[in-house]
Amino acid sequence: MNKHVKLVRQFHDAVSCPQAEPGENRHLSDMDIVMREALLMADGSVVLKAIKAGDMVQILTGLVNLAYCALGAIAQQGSDVTEQSVSWRHDGFVVSLMRLLSDKINACSSGKVDDYSALYCLCSQLSRSFINADFDKAFQMVHESKMSESAKVPDLSDCLFE
């Protein structure tokens, strides 16, 4: 099982969020898909606003939260990440990045593990290649923040390689 899915499952257990047993591969209900899509759109909005502001730390934070949310849907189904290749090259235009993120978020309205996996893989890839950051470290820090009783958003500036 993907190490990040394990962390999300741990969080779901801690907050008593219902999720299928690993390997069960249960389908999401229509209302679960709608709720998950709303959460993804909110997280995607944060990423796009951070891109507009040019705030690399906030972009990273948004991408990790977006990935965490996508993994939440996968964990809820009792599934695992299906590794997806990411076909994105930095062309110098943020509009192409916006379209790519928006398309991947929109595709998740299918409720399929492959689409949530594609969004997760994109967030991971963009964190590494577009922002030049340690995605694993940032994900761990966000997870620890979610697991703590403090709702404080961690400062991920240490995760940037610059």
Side-chain angles (χ1 to χ4, degrees):
M1 180 179 287
N2 176 288
K3 64 185 173 185
H4 295 146
V5 171
K6 287 180 185 178
L7 294 175
V8 172
R9 289 189 64 80
Q10 179 187 31
F11 174 69
H12 282 182
D13 286 341
V15 298
S16 301
C17 180
Q19 60 187 352
E21 291 298 317
E24 195 171 322
N25 301 323
R26 186 183 307 161
H27 294 287
L28 295 176
S29 71
D30 286 352
M31 286 299 104
D32 286 336
I33 293 169
V34 169
M35 178 52 88
R36 192 59 63 177
E37 192 70 10
L39 295 170
L40 290 171
M41 290 175 137
D43 287 338
S45 177
V46 169
V47 173
L48 295 178
K49 287 174 185 173
I51 290 171
K52 180 184 179 292
D55 187 334
M56 299 307 248
V57 174
Q58 287 305 312
I59 296 170
L60 177 59
T61 301
L63 287 171
V64 170
N65 282 322
L66 191 56
Y68 207 100
C69 185
L71 292 179
I74 293 170
Q76 195 175 356
Q77 295 180 65
S79 297
D80 197 6
V81 171
T82 54
E83 289 301 322
Q84 307 278 326
S85 62
V86 176
S87 58
W88 176 78
R89 291 187 337 175
H90 188 29
D91 63 3
F93 298 104
V94 293
V95 172
S96 64
L97 180 58
M98 176 204 68
R99 284 187 187 124
L100 182 61
L101 274 170
S102 296
D103 289 348
K104 294 295 182 195
I105 290 169
N106 184 52
C108 290
S109 64
S110 71
K112 294 180 181 177
V113 169
D114 285 349
D115 292 323
Y116 291 113
S117 294
L119 179 57
Y120 161 77
C121 292
L122 175 64
C123 291
S124 173
Q125 178 67 23
L126 289 176
S127 296
R128 291 180 172 109
S129 64
F130 177 65
I131 303 175
N132 194 26
D134 185 338
F135 180 77
D136 293 328
K137 181 179 178 181
F139 197 95
Q140 183 67 42
M141 288 174 69
V142 167
H143 173 71
E144 288 169 4
S145 173
K146 289 179 181 290
M147 292 295 289
S148 73
E149 304 214 358
S150 162
K152 184 180 177 189
V153 178
D155 178 6
L156 301 182
S157 57
D158 287 346
C159 300
L160 297 176
F161 291 128
E162 296 184 81

